Amino acid sequence: MSAIASWQTFLTRSLATRLDPQTFESYVKILSSKYPLSPSQISNLFLRPTASNTVSLDPRIPRYVQTLLSLGLVNVPSLLRALLRGGKRWGNSYAAEEMLFYRVARLISSGVSPGNAQEAAELILVSMKWMEAVLAASNAAHGMLELSGGTHAEELNAQIMALGTLVVAVVENALVQTALNKGSVPKGEGKEFGTVLGNFVPLLLQGSPQSAARLELFRTQTLVAIEPVDKKAGEVSANEAIDEILDEGIGLGIEGIVVVDLPEVNSRAGLYIYLGSLLVARPLIDDNAIFAYLHNRYQGDIQSTMIDLILASFDILADATSRSERPQTVKILRSFLINKIPLLLAVLSSSLFPPLTAEYCITEALNHVDTNAFPTLSFDDGNTNDMFSDSVRQDFCFACCLHNLIAESSIETLLGDIPIQSLPAGGRYAKDDLVQQLISDPERTEGLIDELEHMDGNVGAVSQAITEVIGRLCRNKETMSLKSLCSQLARKPSALDVMLLFDKITTILQPICDLLDNWRYDEDQGEYQPVYEEFGSILLLVLSFAHRYGLSTVDLGIRTPSESFVAKLLNQGHLCRAMEDLTTQEQSHLDGWIRGLFDNDSGGLGDELMSSCPPQDFYLLIPTLFHHIVLAYSTRHLTDETLKGGLEFLVDTFLLPSLIPGITWLSSHLWESRGDANAVLQILSALITSPSSMTSNTEASNMLKAILNIISKPLEHSLRWLQHAEPSRQDVEPLSRALRTHLFFERRGASEHTELESWTEPGAGGLSGKIKLTVQNLTTWALNPGINNSPANYTHRLILVGVKMLGAQRVLDIILDELKSQSESGNGSVSLDIATSLICAPDPASFSSSSNTIELISDGSTSHTLQRRTNLREALKIELENAPKTHKTDAFHAENVIRLYRKVEAQLLMPQQNLLAHDALGQALDVAGGDGMGGDGMGGMDGGHGGFGDMGGDDLMSGLMGGHGHGGLGDGMGF
């Protein structure tokens, strides 16, 4: 038998017996050693139609291909060529091509492929062929689409989007760019590649604008820059290198460039940008950083600091309302203004000197607030947003009054109207009193959690009391009370946002993670089901935080990820493991859970099983358990009735949180293995849309809603993909409908599809043009910030998306270009302030981690540096290093870079670097900022004059704001 015949026989039998990939791998190694074939021959064999199947690619083939790639028996170019040839002979190859495009794109973007320059060159050529083929198919398809209906159109569009993702991965690969740069591809192919790319990009504009933007950026900039240079250009380059060496020898660097400082301007737009970035996703509230930033920005001018802080908070709220942001976003911005800002003002006001008062600063700020955006009730014509029906200005004034910043008798004057509300009936809360109430009366918990959504100035005390009680309950291992508290918080996503205004994530979650990691049964443990229920409810809060904000183990404060259950669950809890990878004990546990769930003769889920399997082990087994459930049901080893009966256990409260890793695995499996789709959808339906136990169990129903918040987005993506691949399916829509109200749970700074489409419209210059226009609008508003002049439309999501799609360097270039343009127009100071704020604005990726953060992965045997994208500050530093060279050809640009870098670094300088010589400052920061407004040090919540009791306000602000504790009036007013 020939080599090809042997391979064909092996493939036919593998498909007939549904050989699993692991067994396939062991067999194919033997086959390839005995009958070696070239990558092209193997690829053609696996991707071509057979006599028995000419309709579409068998779902097992992509999994086998993945194995062949990992073994090096085929490579990416050979696969793409074979797929191109075979696609013409299949009845419908769109779904298979779409899947393989995405898988190959992942290999390329992860650096696995291409392996060498030759493979990179082949990859360029075959990508070009694919784009030409899709262009031809798209141009020829219009008449045919009208005849065949929308199904063909949807499949073709899905294939085009997948190819776009693949081509993005190809052009952004370093080896591919090197191959183009060094002329490894045939002469003229580079230019032809650019031409084909230019024709292909318009196909992506509707379905995948982000891919279109990245490809257009490559075509118009990167590809142009890496075209081979001629000899004369080489000589110029050599001369430049010699000049560089001479400059280094002479010592001409940044210090040798004279840069004239521009007049300092603190524009209204500057703080508006900075505060907006703190609240656009996960609240990035670190009081140390905020006070340091305010000090650096205003250099001791407390009056301007307080006024601008109030105005910027009103501005971001007004802008969010005008842009119709989602209610959860408006709610956190409103809470920040009413519940957080008065606390910051209380600290700042402690260093004001008579006759200057906090009331004067608040009055000045409110005089500049647009009453059209924030009317009082008697002037409200009913046309404003419902969120403001009870008047934000009124709420803010009473919150300031609560913290002794203004007199109650002054509120009517400030509002220009008779107020219709009053101070909270219970007065200003004291955190310690609330802690005692929570400990002595657990039923008070639900009421206080509800109060986290109030707008009365007392929320900070409530939040910190809840955080302190969580810590105490964890230390004392009072898990029953902790379970109730955590389950109620997990049901209120907006409450999590509010808590992060007053405490850091590690303060809230680190004690819980430590408790879960070290959870042990009591020696005299009687029942085990209540233990599982307590463990699951507590874990649900951690998972709610982690998935809402995209937290890493570093963000959670986990010290040893390799030994932490929570870290393993977050990093690996969605992965199914093969039986041979399980220990004997894990295999025994898995067998026990399968029998307990589905074997009526085994006695069900008894204490014997749960006592031998701690909850940590159970949760880490869940994906493997679900794999076996899918396998058993798809092979009819489980009947419909038995499946439904077993799954009823999983929707009981003591096991319900295990659906998070379970459904996460099902979502991934649905995308990877369409052959099991019927079984997966049946299981999902039983868990989500038709669990009978939910009708009579309110607690389980509420818990399921919290779980659906977490798993809805990945599951909805997989369901949408399946519906595209199989449009006739009727069992997808009911599941999609059940998920719709949960799809907006995450707050990670990502842009929604419609918003991204509006930003990337090619007619307006795409994403680059949108960023440029936004910076221009911010500058225009900053130059004319009148009372009735609404703030410039701005969301920091635009910058986050820009850095993600275009890269930090490209976004920085846009900012620098606009800075240059405005400077030439005489607006350099204001433009510099806006550019500085854009770069100083923190982002979630770099907020909690530094460049040398280490995080253990896998089994803990190796460690890797936590990788993240370059941010704008780092890109600016790189640009600064090139400034001496740039100065020779564009002195104005180089000086702008140096000026901007110096201002950014000055505003981001932390106190320990420049101010800790003042002992009072160091002590005060320990109190004010150490626990995100002070933990026990938050005197304003415990009573006491001036809002912060034992804060040591004079010492704090003399260090932070430059007064030194003994200055005259001018020290406080910034004269």
Side-chain angles (χ1 to χ4, degrees), residues 205-472:
L205 290 175
Q206 291 298 321
S208 185
Q210 58 269 47
S211 295
R214 289 163 76 172
L215 291 177
E216 186 64 11
L217 182 68
F218 171 83
R219 186 182 72 85
T220 58
Q221 295 185 25
T222 309
L223 190 59
V224 172
I226 62 178
E227 281 290 311
V229 295
D230 57 24
K231 185 176 179 182
K232 183 178 287 187
E235 291 173 357
V236 172
S237 178
N239 291 335
E240 289 176 350
I242 293 171
D243 289 343
E244 182 180 346
I245 294 169
L246 289 173
D247 287 345
E248 289 177 358
I250 299 171
L252 297 177
I254 295 168
E255 295 76 11
I257 301 174
V258 178
V259 178
V260 178
D261 289 333
L262 297 176
E264 285 291 330
V265 170
N266 290 321
S267 70
R268 186 163 171 178
L271 194 56
Y272 168 71
I273 292 167
Y274 181 80
L275 290 187
S277 71
L278 299 181
L279 300 165
V280 71
R282 161 169 54 117
L284 304 178
I285 306 300
D286 180 333
D287 294 317
N288 270 336
I290 290 174
F291 280 127
Y293 176 80
L294 292 174
H295 161 69
N296 295 334
R297 180 174 174 81
Y298 292 94
Q299 292 297 300
D301 186 349
I302 306 173
Q303 176 185 350
S304 295
T305 303
M306 293 179 69
I307 292 172
D308 285 3
L309 187 60
I310 296 168
L311 279 175
S313 302
F314 273 99
D315 284 341
I316 59 176
L317 185 53
D319 178 57
T321 310
S322 70
R323 288 185 293 100
S324 301
E325 284 278 4
R326 293 195 171 276
Q328 65 174 2
T329 299
V330 176
K331 185 180 292 185
I332 188 62
L333 294 177
R334 191 176 180 209
S335 187
F336 177 77
L337 169 64
I338 295 166
N339 293 312
K340 181 70 175 183
I341 290 297
L343 299 177
L344 300 177
L345 295 176
V347 177
L348 293 168
S349 66
S350 63
S351 282
L352 290 173
F353 297 97
L356 194 61
T357 63
E359 186 168 319
Y360 171 80
C361 296
I362 293 169
T363 303
E364 280 296 299
L366 290 179
N367 285 339
H368 290 83
V369 171
D370 185 1
T371 54
N372 293 318
F374 301 103
T376 47
L377 279 176
S378 60
F379 295 110
D380 188 354
D381 61 5
N383 294 324
T384 57
N385 191 301
D386 289 341
M387 182 63 73
F388 302 97
S389 59
D390 55 353
S391 177
V392 172
R393 288 195 304 133
Q394 184 171 246
D395 289 339
F396 176 72
C397 287
F398 275 101
C400 289
C401 179
L402 185 71
H403 291 283
N404 297 330
L405 294 169
I406 60 175
E408 187 172 4
S409 58
S410 303
I411 294 178
E412 182 176 341
T413 304
L414 287 170
L415 295 176
D417 191 14
I418 299 173
I420 62 169
Q421 67 183 65
S422 60
L423 290 169
R428 186 170 62 196
Y429 283 165
K431 183 196 71 175
D432 288 345
D433 291 345
L434 296 179
V435 170
Q436 291 306 315
Q437 291 176 31
L438 285 168
I439 291 174
S440 59
D441 182 12
E443 293 184 0
R444 179 84 168 96
T445 301
E446 186 172 358
L448 279 180
I449 289 175
D450 288 339
E451 288 192 38
L452 286 173
E453 298 188 356
H454 285 192
M455 302 292 167
D456 58 6
N458 265 330
V459 172
V462 174
S463 176
Q464 288 210 313
I466 291 172
T467 299
E468 182 164 324
V469 169
I470 286 174
R472 287 193 188 186

Side-chain angles (χ1 to χ4, degrees), residues 23 132 175 199 280 393 439 455 519 524 562 568 640 705 714 722 791-792 835 840 864 876 924 935 956-957:
T23 309
E132 290 172 340
L175 263 177
N199 295 329
V280 71
R393 288 195 304 133
I439 291 174
M455 302 292 167
W519 191 290
D524 57 346
S562 60
K568 291 176 183 175
D640 290 349
K705 291 176 183 176
L722 180 63
C840 287
H864 295 279
L876 179 60
L956 171 67
M957 297 317 301

Side-chain angles (χ1 to χ4, degrees), residues 644 648 651 682-694 704 735:
K644 188 174 181 180
E648 282 293 330
V651 294
Q682 190 71 19
I683 293 168
L684 288 170
S685 178
L687 294 173
I688 294 174
T689 62
S690 57
S692 58
S693 60
M694 293 296 172
L704 180 61
L735 285 166

Side-chain angles (χ1 to χ4, degrees), residues 620-642:
L620 294 176
L621 277 177
I622 286 297
T624 309
L625 173 63
F626 270 73
H627 165 72
H628 284 273
I629 295 173
V630 170
L631 185 63
Y633 185 70
S634 61
T635 56
R636 310 312 300 167
H637 285 83
L638 281 178
T639 64
D640 290 349
E641 185 178 347
T642 306

